Amino acid sequence: MQAEQISQQIKTWAKELGFQSCGISRPQLGAEQEARLQQWLDAGYHGEMQYMAEHGMLRARPTELHPGTLSVISVRLDYLPKAAAFATNLADPSQAYISRYALGRDYHKLMRNRLKQLGQKIATLISDLDCRPFVDSAPILERPLAQQAGLGWIGKHSLLLAEEAGSWFFLGELLVNLELPADEPHPGDCGSCVACITSCPTGAIVAPYVVDARRCISYLTIELKDAIPTEFRPLMGNRIYGCDDCQLVCPVNRQAPLTEEPDFQRRPQWQNQSLLALFQWDETTFLRLTEGSAIRRIGFERWQRNLAVALGNAPYQPEIVATLKQALPTATPLVAEHIQWALQQQKQKSYLAQNLLPRSTERLVRIIQKGLPRDAG
């Protein structure tokens, strides 16, 4: 079988395995990508993610990551659930907002298994096949590789965008020792649009295509192990795991399809959950209800840390104050710091509600009445 026929067969198998798109590229990313990566690392934008610095340029060199690699097969798997309920969650500050990718089953194992199956199918054609699947499991610049494979273009928020799918998808790679015909790189770009840059709650997109992870809510709620800087806490709102704001405002995402994948649908425990209810989970409940979920990776302590911040941002409620105070004596030092901050926020809101706001309302009423004509009633 000719290389072109093998390539087409691989793409057919990828679709049969449930991937929405499949493309092939050469493993070389070039000096420009390496320079961008080095500049990003030198600026410290990776924050506490030391593994990104430790691997260095290995991320941009798939041939060193898996010797013998001649081609990279990139695949796309859509994940936007049918019951995404973006507006409902974000508009209600008493509800918990969880990034839409984490509402269902953890995608890593599912995608990795399917990539393994794809490799097994290719092995039926190539007896000496040597391949290795990747799904966030090793240092590899998957977005530039996917763009080279024609799957989409990199947006100013640094995510890959496809006309037919926006950015609501996962990427995976299969490195193979086959020299397959490479697809044409995707020529798309975002033009003059800067919606993601201007809408980022914490200003994490510091320049087009450059994200300072240290300011990103996804990093703060998932990757950061220490205390969340106080300057970012009020900006996080009710986001307790990840953030989708840059994707929500992206015009390319307006027509993004909903996934039919059962494992990516919203689990019942994430349906209209209040911050207060989630904060009252004990560790046993957390572990049970996050089994098979990406959320479990942050652990119970950071779960409570994130929820404490969100409760501090919520409107004043005596129940919130009572619950936070009840949790304080047994909280870890990390969680306790955030509970104290949340209690201070609630105290300030209580003062405003009881004093300043009523007075402001009364003054406004007097001003309006004073300016009304005498016969206006």
Side-chain angles (χ1 to χ4, degrees):
M1 185 178 288
Q2 298 297 317
E4 182 63 41
Q5 293 175 298
I6 295 174
S7 175
Q8 291 304 315
Q9 182 62 69
I10 289 172
K11 293 176 182 179
T12 299
W13 281 331
K15 291 290 183 67
E16 291 174 354
L17 287 168
F19 295 117
Q20 278 71 48
S21 184
C22 176
I24 298 170
S25 68
R26 291 282 170 265
Q28 292 79 21
L29 284 171
E32 183 179 352
Q33 285 294 340
E34 293 192 10
R36 286 181 181 176
L37 173 59
Q38 192 60 58
Q39 289 172 2
W40 187 78
L41 292 170
D42 290 344
Y45 290 154
H46 58 296
E48 285 188 359
M49 297 183 289
Q50 289 303 318
Y51 60 88
M52 303 193 81
E54 289 169 1
H55 292 302
M57 291 305 105
L58 187 63
R59 300 179 66 84
R61 301 169 184 171
T63 52
E64 293 183 18
L65 191 61
H66 186 61
T69 297
L70 296 176
S71 301
V72 178
I73 301 169
S74 294
V75 295
R76 183 193 102 213
L77 185 60
D78 297 347
Y79 69 76
L80 189 61
K82 296 177 181 177
F86 296 111
T88 302
N89 282 155
L90 283 173
D92 186 349
S94 66
Q95 280 194 23
Y97 186 84
I98 293 171
S99 186
R100 305 296 90 168
Y101 87 86
L103 292 177
R105 181 187 173 192
D106 189 349
Y107 67 95
H108 293 86
K109 186 180 292 186
L110 183 149
M111 285 195 73
R112 186 175 177 82
N113 287 339
R114 291 189 184 180
L115 283 168
K116 282 184 176 180
Q117 292 177 49
L118 181 59
Q120 290 167 358
K121 288 179 178 292
I122 300 172
T124 62
L125 300 177
I126 310 297
S127 58
D128 59 347
L129 178 72
D130 180 28
C131 64
R132 182 179 173 186
F134 291 89
V135 184
D136 290 343
S137 54
I140 188 168
L141 294 180
E142 61 180 9
R143 294 165 194 168
L145 285 169
Q147 181 171 14
Q148 280 192 179
L151 268 60
W153 74 95
I154 297 174
K156 291 176 182 177
H157 47 20
S158 82
L159 302 174
L160 195 76
L161 286 164
E163 294 99 332
E164 71 280 12
S167 57
W168 303 107
F169 54 79
F170 301 122
L171 291 171
E173 300 78 40
L174 189 66
L175 274 55
V176 297
N177 63 336
L178 302 176
E179 191 163 354
L180 299 168
D183 291 300
E184 287 295 320
H186 199 290
D189 62 60
C190 297
S192 60
C193 180
V194 291
C196 60
I197 298 175
T198 58
S199 299
C200 178
T202 54
I205 308 173
V206 294
Y209 317 105
V210 182
V211 175
D212 183 348
R214 299 168 300 180
R215 304 183 64 89
C216 177
I217 293 177
S218 287
Y219 169 83
L220 295 171
T221 56
I222 300 173
E223 301 293 344
L224 182 65
K225 295 181 174 64
D226 300 323
I228 296 171
T230 53
E231 64 181 296
F232 299 129
R233 294 177 193 178
L235 306 176
M236 290 167 56
N238 60 346
R239 301 166 184 84
I240 64 167
Y241 187 92
C243 177
D244 293 320
D245 283 36
C246 63
Q247 299 189 83
L248 288 171
V249 300
C250 179
V252 185
N253 270 325
R254 290 172 184 164
Q255 303 301 320
L258 301 177
T259 182
E260 296 294 331
E261 184 61 53
D263 282 336
F264 294 159
Q265 301 307 322
R266 186 173 183 159
R267 290 181 168 183
Q269 58 265 43
W270 310 132
Q271 189 73 35
N272 302 324
Q273 275 281 21
S274 73
L275 295 167
L276 205 52
L278 293 179
F279 186 75
Q280 291 171 319
W281 284 5
D282 58 19
E283 187 167 9
T284 301
T285 302
F286 169 79
L287 292 174
R288 176 172 58 84
L289 293 178
T290 59
E291 185 175 0
S293 165
I295 297 172
R296 180 183 273 206
R297 69 181 288 245
I298 67 172
F300 185 60
E301 184 180 42
R302 280 187 276 169
W303 171 255
Q304 287 192 307
R305 177 200 64 181
N306 297 348
L307 280 161
V309 172
L311 286 169
N313 292 329
Y316 170 73
Q317 292 182 45
E319 296 85 352
I320 290 178
V321 174
T323 301
L324 289 170
K325 286 183 176 179
Q326 184 179 8
L328 193 53
T330 57
T332 66
L334 175 66
V335 176
E337 176 190 339
H338 293 78
I339 289 178
Q340 293 283 17
W341 178 86
L343 285 169
Q344 186 63 32
Q345 300 303 302
Q346 285 289 308
K347 181 179 179 180
Q348 292 174 4
K349 291 172 184 178
S350 174
Y351 178 80
L352 287 171
Q354 295 175 22
N355 297 282
L356 299 184
L357 292 180
R359 292 177 187 176
S360 299
T361 302
E362 290 171 8
R363 175 191 273 181
L364 181 60
V365 169
R366 287 197 299 270
I367 292 172
I368 293 173
Q369 289 177 336
K370 187 176 181 180
L372 288 173
R374 291 183 180 180
D375 60 351

